[in-house]
Amino acid sequence: MSNNFTYSIGIPIYCAGFTHDDNLILAGGGGAGRSGVKNKICIYRVDQTNKTLTSLVEKILSRDEDAPMSLGVHPKEPALAFGINSAVNRIEAGENENCRVFQYSDDMIESVHNKGTLVSKSQDDYQKVTRFNKDGTKLATGGTDGVVAVLNYPTLTPSKPVTQFKGHEILDLDYSEDGEYLAVVSAKNMWIISAESGLVVETITNPVWNKKKPHEFRICRFGRGPLSHILYTVVNGDKNRKPFVCMWSTTKWTRVRTVPVGPRPITVCSVSDDGKLIAFSSSDLSIRICDAKTLKVLMTLHKAHALPIMSLAFNKDASLLVSGSVDTTCRVIVVPKTFPTNNNFMLLVMALLFVFLAALIQMYQNHQKALL
């Protein structure tokens, strides 16, 4: 596939996103310690003509703290929210300011707010998910310690009391487009939380297709635009079972469609702003772009990276899809305006027609021989 390229930024990439003017945000690093691998936030301009990235601004973070592990891009302001653990001694003292908000411009990235949302005092727990609602007034975080926090933006004061789902690791969360609901998933449960009351209004447990094949939730994302009434969930089995993408009605919270996508577990997902496309990366390092309405695979890129893919992001008009990996590279994929149609049916028709014509010719030849 010629319409894509890779670019190394020299550090493991855990976060990817786009600014309002379509500049690329990449963040990651080597974490706390003396590995020599920096922790940083970078903003680049994508140069499609020369297939490269041009550095605009970067922020070097403390080497005593963790790398940025999750990213939420504010929908209206030049602001970024990250999950970044504090130094180990502060975590153990219960002073982990894991939720960090930065403002950016053409020549700087500046820290403006820090907030602790995790309950755990273990350095192994971190803020796995960071998500703004559509109007940017609320910021939700999900931690590996099972804590879901909803904060007012920009003050970062609690909007609702912290919810801790004990014994669960929060894998993903997302706001509905109208801001009415917050969907949250762990491996075994999906919770639908009312944004107004903060109460759980629906719980879906143990995704099992039949008693012999248990699966696990991995991702939840609400549809956008004309598909805002749909909630997508990714359900993985073991490495020998195909993953499924499920579409749920947001009025009845019932499953309306289930489609296998790819041969290996899905790890990361991104939905385009217009709601027309949904992209997935898999444990086999492949990337697939699907039609969000039908979940038909429109494009597949095999072996997109050498090591696990940690992030996916469409730009504002879905003309680009970027992936970030711990192999230190990002891949920039130019998304076609139109996708080639599936010709399998036509090939089958042509093959049957060929067989039919061959049979007619054979019958004609046999008839001619009989006349002789």
Side-chain angles (χ1 to χ4, degrees), residues 51 71 82 117 124 133 140 144 247 266 278-279 319 361 369:
K51 295 187 176 183
L71 164 65
F82 289 95
T117 61
D124 295 329
N133 65 351
T144 58
M247 299 171 68
I266 292 171
I278 184 167
S319 61
I361 292 170
K369 289 178 181 179

Side-chain angles (χ1 to χ4, degrees), residues 118-336:
L118 301 178
V119 172
S120 171
K121 294 183 180 181
S122 169
Q123 61 179 307
D124 295 329
D125 286 314
Y126 63 97
Q127 183 179 311
K128 192 176 181 70
V129 198
T130 308
R131 199 87 67 210
F132 283 102
N133 65 351
K134 186 178 180 180
D135 65 9
T137 59
K138 297 290 187 290
L139 174 62
T141 68
T144 58
D145 62 350
V147 168
V148 174
V150 177
L151 309 173
N152 295 308
Y153 180 85
T155 62
L156 300 191
T157 55
S159 173
K160 296 290 183 296
V162 165
T163 302
Q164 184 172 20
F165 298 101
K166 293 184 178 181
H168 294 270
E169 174 183 343
I170 304 305
L171 299 177
D172 201 9
L173 55 77
D174 196 30
Y175 276 104
S176 59
E177 191 168 54
D178 60 9
E180 186 175 350
Y181 297 109
L182 179 67
V184 180
V185 293
S186 69
K188 296 300 182 184
N189 286 12
M190 176 167 68
W191 300 276
I192 307 299
I193 299 174
S194 166
E196 181 178 357
S197 67
L199 300 176
V200 174
V201 296
E202 191 75 31
T203 302
I204 299 169
T205 62
N206 296 324
V208 177
W209 267 228
N210 59 56
K211 293 182 179 180
K212 296 181 180 179
K213 294 184 178 181
H215 287 67
E216 294 185 345
F217 287 117
R218 177 62 185 84
I219 291 164
C220 64
R221 295 296 166 87
F222 282 97
R224 302 288 184 250
L227 294 172
S228 60
H229 62 289
I230 294 295
L231 172 65
Y232 301 92
T233 58
V234 169
V235 181
N236 289 328
D238 61 29
K239 63 180 181 179
N240 296 317
R241 296 178 188 152
K242 287 185 177 182
F244 292 90
V245 179
C246 305
M247 299 171 68
W248 301 78
S249 164
T250 59
T251 55
K252 298 180 180 179
W253 303 113
T254 54
R255 193 167 69 237
V256 295
R257 188 180 181 90
T258 301
V259 178
V261 177
R264 294 291 181 266
I266 292 171
T267 54
V268 186
C269 168
S270 180
V271 179
S272 63
D273 281 1
D274 62 8
K276 294 180 179 180
L277 299 175
I278 184 167
F280 304 99
S281 68
S282 301
S283 61
D284 62 0
L285 309 178
S286 63
I287 296 173
R288 289 173 175 81
I289 300 176
C290 300
D291 181 289
K293 185 176 182 179
T294 64
L295 295 179
K296 175 185 176 182
V297 177
L298 303 174
M299 174 192 292
T300 301
L301 179 62
H302 297 287
K303 301 296 181 183
H305 290 274
L307 292 173
I309 299 166
M310 305 304 293
S311 55
L312 282 174
F314 283 104
N315 68 340
K316 298 307 174 185
D317 65 358
S319 61
L320 298 175
L321 175 68
V322 167
S323 58
S325 168
V326 292
D327 68 5
T328 79
T329 68
C330 74
R331 181 173 287 275
V332 179
I333 301 169
V334 178
V335 180

Side-chain angles (χ1 to χ4, degrees), residues 339-353:
F339 293 88
T341 57
N342 189 337
N343 293 319
N344 290 342
F345 178 74
M346 290 303 300
L347 290 174
L348 177 61
V349 171
M350 291 176 66
L352 291 173
L353 182 61

